[in-house]
Amino acid sequence: MNWLQVLQDPNTQWVLAGCILLGISSGVLGSFAFLRGRSLMGDALAHAALPGVCLVFLLTGSKSIGFFLVGAAISGLLATYCITMITKHSRIKEDTALALNLSVFFGIGIVLLTYIQHSDSGNQSGLDKFLFGQAASLVGSDVNTMIAVSSVLLIITALLFKEFKLLSFDQGFGKGLGFPMGFLDGLLMVMLLMSVVIGLQAVGVVLMAAMLITPAVTARYWTNKLSTMVILSGLFGALSGAFGTLLSTQIQNLPTGPIIVLGSTTLFLFSLLFSPKRGILFRFLRFMQVRKKVLHQDILRSLYDVMEDSKKENSIPASFFSVERLAIKSGKQAQTVEKALRTLLKKGWVTQDKEDPQKWGFNQKGLHVAHSLVLNQRLWDLFQMHEQNFHGYTIDQSEEEIIPQLNGVQLEMMLKELEHHNMTPTLVAIQSYKIANHTPDQGGVTA
Amino acid sequence: MNSFWIILTGSLVAATCGFLGCFLILRRMAMLGDAISHAILPGIAIAFLLTGGRDSIAMLVGAAVIGLLTVFLIQLFHQSGVKSDAAIGVTFTALFAIGVVLISLYGSHIDLDLDCVLYGEIAYVPWDTLVINGAEWGPRAVWGLGIIFIISLLVVGLFFKQFKICTFDPAMAAAIGIPVALFHYLLMGLVSMATVASFESVGAILVVAMMVVPSATAYLLTDRLPVMLGLSMLIGVLCSILGYSLATWLDSSIAGSMTVVAGLLFLISFLFSPRYGLVSKWQVRRQIKLELE
């Protein structure tokens, strides 16, 4: 069937509108639930709605969504109350209380459902749709109810956005400001319940939880700002809602709920991998970059160190050193060291011995780079070993470089201390940062 | 005779799940059990599609693999910055959705439908018998469950000390050299196998009830782990017997009725447990008040 034709069908349009609004409202409310650490509460509420729906059907015999809403809301509230009571009055933890209520309420629902199916109380076939959802079975009045309820939910959220923000991040502060936090928490719970209930017919009780959780988690990958997160989460919910509805009306026998869930899971996986700030791919790339940088710094410092050692032995240091010696000094594999040296050669920091290409040494630029690296490292060592001596220095230890954080007097003090501990890097004169009598042709260095 | 087989199957399900469930609720991982029981659905569906029948061993392996994969994925998402409850929610709903889609698309070709997945059909257990050399050896489900039950008992019995320390003080367990992660995954593997063995009888969702409710009931009645394990198995058997009676009376799902009975038993112990019950706590409080006056 042509997609355009499908979209022009007024019935599909209605169902689509309902599912998109449903996606928005559950995405928006789900982000608050996610931030409050209540993600699985939605799961419990959705499962607990089943007995309410069955009981209403048993009592009234009608299948109108309005009645079901009331029944589901009542049994959901009862389940919430039970969970709170059990965690409050016994030593059972919250996760057990959740699982316990979820499964017992669902069990009651299954008993009622099979009871209805086995007794001949008219046409009950619609009830199974509540398990996995069937958007195609929605009729005009259902969609109207869905639209009305989700609009109300969205309007309340927009009006109370500031209050809900406080609730999500700092309940104590909100209380201090005089907001009725307990009431707001309860209101949020009821709103969550409402969004679960209107989703039951389209998504089903089993997978309704995903409508609340997955879009919120996905949105969290893209932003650190609550308002952006809420909007994104609503958007993701709407997208997956539309996707699921369209696909499940196209293919026979395909329940809507799982398709919507798979749609939002795809969005989640995409964000998990490719989100620029928190995605696995970019985090891995950043990690590799840092690793490379640290490796290069290590090699430069090792080269500097062995040069210094040789200076101590012979007063005139050798200029070139073998890869093996550097590997031992830095504690890395010879292969790794050689690879790093080749990259450094391209950067123009090190050179190879012309007679023996297996040996490596600094050129002038590299020596300066290595010198400031070593100086920085030794100043950090000094600072950390004798922190009490530098009381009053404002040093941020998470920073990479220490010298820019010191003023002139402090730097002088630390350099003196360095000299005292015999830790001063000796290959370049510190004061001038220049090599006095450098002869580049020989590649040799004297202090 | 049929009633006997049904009750026996129910008892085995409840005992195995209740036994393993004790460790889950003590380690605050009840929702992880819920996640596993949902998530093994694609494993079951794929095993059905590949083997074309209820080949128990293929299903057991498939489900155990998916179960462990679930635990691993949840851990992975959690480590990459998702809150643990949200990680659970995302993982199990996604896997369950895959399972439902597979079954809805190909369900007509194989002998598997969604109702059976959700609430099982324990009533058909007596007719699906194990036949070796033409001789009937009783229902297959009973054999499968019995084997899983004995394996669980053996594994936990052999490493009881290790499981106990890992449950109550994982940090100390790690400090004295117990491979905590190994025992974690061992337990999860047992939970997955128990779930898949039970799913045909009670359905994927009510397995959770059998895992959590009897052990939570036992948790309110005792402070000792061995007693708690024994009690939860006993309560499970009780659920099976009473649940069967309730189901025949109402003419409804046996698994659902077992859950309802389990819920009632929990309610009773929540109210009247000698030490932790609501009523006994209230009485103690009144006693103290009287003494003070």
Side-chain angles (χ1 to χ4, degrees):
Chain A
M1 211 194 282
N2 193 343
W3 284 101
L4 235 85
Q5 240 173 334
V6 174
L7 285 176
Q8 275 163 356
D9 175 26
N11 192 36
T12 315
Q13 281 172 2
W14 272 110
V15 173
L16 197 60
C19 284
I20 288 175
L21 261 175
L22 169 70
I24 296 175
S25 63
S26 56
V28 166
L29 287 167
S31 16
F32 290 109
F34 169 71
L35 290 171
R36 300 268 294 120
R38 289 243 174 94
S39 294
L40 291 173
M41 200 60 156
D43 194 30
L45 288 179
H47 281 74
L50 188 64
V53 169
C54 292
L55 214 57
V56 165
F57 177 77
L58 214 56
L59 292 178
T60 64
S62 91
K63 281 198 292 180
S64 123
I65 194 171
F67 281 118
F68 286 161
L69 226 106
V70 176
I74 290 172
S75 66
L77 276 180
L78 191 65
T80 323
Y81 180 70
C82 287
I83 292 170
T84 327
M85 281 300 280
I86 288 174
T87 29
K88 202 170 156 191
H89 291 295
S90 76
R91 55 182 189 151
I92 287 176
K93 309 292 176 302
E94 199 187 357
D95 68 315
T96 310
L98 266 178
L100 193 144
N101 277 288
L102 180 158
S103 53
V104 169
F105 271 83
F106 194 75
I108 297 171
I110 294 287
V111 167
L112 291 172
L113 193 66
T114 42
Y115 176 74
I116 293 168
Q117 280 170 343
H118 293 177
S119 61
D120 308 308
S121 52
N123 177 20
Q124 82 291 334
S125 61
L127 278 186
D128 326 22
K129 298 287 182 245
F130 276 89
L131 292 174
F132 295 112
Q134 191 60 274
S137 71
L138 290 174
V139 294
S141 61
D142 301 340
V143 176
N144 281 334
T145 319
M146 280 168 75
I147 291 174
V149 174
S150 49
S151 312
V152 169
L153 289 179
L154 287 175
I155 289 169
I156 296 180
T157 316
L159 288 177
L160 293 178
F161 185 76
K162 197 176 57 192
E163 283 79 1
F164 284 154
K165 194 174 182 178
L166 264 178
L167 186 68
S168 311
F169 293 112
D170 199 342
Q171 213 173 345
F173 180 59
K175 217 171 208 167
L177 288 181
F179 285 106
M181 283 296 147
F183 168 74
L184 284 171
D185 197 23
L187 180 68
L188 190 61
M189 197 62 115
V190 172
M191 286 167 70
L192 207 62
L193 180 66
M194 279 296 141
S195 75
V196 166
V197 169
I198 55 166
L200 287 181
Q201 207 162 3
V203 185
V205 296
V206 184
L207 289 171
M208 194 54 215
M211 292 295 287
L212 296 169
I213 303 171
T214 316
V217 178
T218 313
R220 186 69 188 82
Y221 271 95
W222 296 95
T223 176
N224 283 331
K225 208 167 140 57
L226 180 68
S227 49
T228 324
M229 176 180 164
V230 167
I231 292 169
L232 271 181
S233 170
L235 187 73
F236 290 145
L239 271 179
S240 41
F243 171 74
T245 315
L246 286 176
L247 203 65
S248 81
T249 45
Q250 290 295 297
I251 299 169
Q252 278 265 308
N253 255 336
L254 209 54
T256 321
I259 304 292
I260 295 184
V261 173
L262 288 181
S264 59
T265 309
T266 315
L267 284 173
F268 165 71
L269 287 178
F270 180 80
S271 312
L272 177 77
L273 291 174
F274 302 116
S275 138
K277 265 189 196 151
R278 310 166 124 234
I280 287 180
L281 182 74
F282 287 96
R283 277 210 327 222
F284 179 72
L285 286 181
R286 273 200 295 276
F287 172 74
M288 291 310 281
Q289 241 168 10
V290 169
R291 228 171 87 154
K292 214 165 148 188
K293 191 175 150 196
V294 169
L295 175 71
H296 289 168
Q297 290 185 351
D298 277 356
I299 300 297
L300 284 175
R301 275 206 305 264
S302 309
L303 190 56
Y304 194 94
D305 284 346
V306 290
M307 211 175 215
E308 227 177 19
D309 290 348
S310 104
K311 191 189 169 196
K312 265 176 211 157
E313 285 158 21
N314 316 330
S315 83
I316 295 171
S319 307
F320 296 101
F321 301 90
S322 68
V323 172
E324 284 72 37
R325 186 147 176 212
L326 287 174
I328 292 165
K329 187 77 188 174
S330 62
K332 293 184 188 348
Q333 299 276 335
Q335 237 176 340
T336 323
V337 174
E338 187 158 357
K339 220 171 132 189
L341 282 169
R342 293 205 180 278
T343 325
L344 289 172
L345 180 70
K346 267 181 218 155
K347 279 191 176 176
W349 286 351
V350 295
T351 53
Q352 277 166 299
D353 192 349
K354 278 174 191 128
E355 286 135 37
D356 180 6
Q358 284 302 305
K359 291 191 159 187
W360 298 77
F362 284 120
N363 59 17
Q364 191 185 0
K365 194 172 149 205
L367 184 67
H368 278 262
V369 173
H371 178 79
S372 45
L373 281 175
V374 170
L375 182 63
N376 182 50
Q377 173 73 33
R378 292 189 187 169
L379 284 175
W380 271 124
D381 288 349
L382 186 75
F383 179 76
Q384 268 150 4
M385 275 189 293
H386 306 281
E387 214 175 326
Q388 71 281 4
N389 295 355
F390 308 111
H391 191 71
Y393 288 28
T394 45
I395 300 286
D396 181 359
Q397 298 213 28
S398 61
E399 282 291 315
E400 206 177 316
E401 291 193 43
I402 191 168
I403 295 176
Q405 301 188 49
L406 300 166
N407 60 33
V409 184
Q410 288 171 338
L411 181 63
E412 210 162 301
M413 270 289 292
M414 285 201 83
L415 289 177
K416 219 176 268 174
E417 195 79 0
L418 209 58
E419 188 67 53
H420 177 69
H421 286 92
N422 213 2
M423 281 164 69
T424 312
T426 51
L427 295 183
V428 179
I430 284 179
Q431 308 302 334
S432 59
Y433 277 52
K434 270 183 188 147
I435 305 169
N437 45 357
H438 174 65
T439 43
D441 290 343
Q442 293 158 8
V445 174
T446 48
Chain B
M1 197 59 192
N2 283 344
S3 310
F4 167 75
W5 285 123
I6 291 171
I7 291 176
L8 181 62
T9 315
S11 307
L12 279 171
V13 168
T16 317
C17 293
F19 179 69
L20 294 170
C22 287
F23 292 101
L24 285 183
I25 71 160
L26 286 174
R27 302 180 69 174
R28 303 188 183 192
M29 296 193 302
M31 288 314 279
L32 202 56
D34 183 38
I36 290 179
S37 73
H38 282 72
I40 60 163
L41 188 60
I44 291 167
I46 292 168
F48 257 71
L49 290 173
L50 289 182
T51 61
R54 304 188 175 209
D55 181 0
S56 313
I57 294 177
M59 274 189 15
L60 264 184
V61 174
V65 168
I66 296 270
L68 291 180
L69 181 77
T70 313
V71 178
F72 175 74
L73 279 178
I74 291 173
Q75 202 108 15
L76 187 80
F77 292 156
H78 182 47
Q79 272 165 8
S80 78
V82 183
K83 282 186 191 174
S84 72
D85 63 331
I88 290 177
V90 169
T91 316
F92 89 79
T93 49
L95 286 168
F96 192 73
I98 294 175
V100 174
V101 169
L102 281 176
I103 294 174
S104 334
L105 286 182
Y106 304 107
S108 47
H109 306 307
I110 52 174
D111 177 27
L112 183 67
D113 65 325
L114 280 175
D115 285 4
C116 162
V117 168
L118 267 187
Y119 38 92
E121 222 11 298
I122 205 169
Y124 298 151
V125 161
W127 283 281
D128 186 15
T129 52
L130 183 74
V131 181
I132 299 173
N133 295 335
E136 287 201 1
W137 290 80
R140 275 201 323 177
V142 171
W143 283 100
L145 279 165
I147 291 169
I148 298 292
F149 180 55
I150 290 168
I151 290 177
S152 314
L153 278 185
L154 274 179
V155 172
V156 174
L158 276 177
F159 300 109
F160 186 70
K161 212 163 44 182
Q162 282 86 340
F163 272 113
K164 196 170 165 181
I165 299 180
C166 288
T167 304
F168 290 107
D169 198 342
M172 175 180 160
I176 60 176
I178 295 172
V180 180
L182 176 75
F183 281 102
H184 176 65
Y185 280 100
L186 192 62
L187 181 66
M188 291 304 141
L190 287 177
V191 168
S192 313
M193 290 207 300
T195 311
V196 74
S198 318
F199 115 100
E200 251 180 285
S201 321
V202 297
I205 290 170
L206 296 180
V207 171
V208 188
M210 288 297 115
M211 279 197 185
V212 177
V213 189
S215 39
T217 314
Y219 186 49
L220 288 179
L221 295 175
T222 175
D223 282 334
R224 289 181 49 77
L225 180 61
V227 182
M228 182 177 163
L229 292 172
L231 263 181
S232 72
M233 288 194 274
L234 205 70
I235 293 166
V237 174
L238 208 61
C239 290
S240 168
I241 298 169
L242 295 177
Y244 181 71
S245 325
L246 182 69
T248 19
W249 179 53
L250 282 177
D251 185 22
S252 62
S253 155
I254 298 168
S257 310
M258 279 171 68
T259 316
V260 172
V261 171
L264 286 177
L265 290 178
F266 174 79
L267 188 67
I268 292 172
S269 83
F270 179 65
L271 292 176
F272 302 111
S273 153
R275 190 179 299 171
Y276 299 107
L278 219 54
V279 173
S280 38
K281 271 197 216 163
W282 177 71
Q283 263 176 346
V284 169
R285 220 174 295 153
R286 212 175 61 157
Q287 199 95 42
I288 293 172
K289 214 172 168 184
L290 282 180
E291 277 169 21
L292 285 175
E293 280 164 5

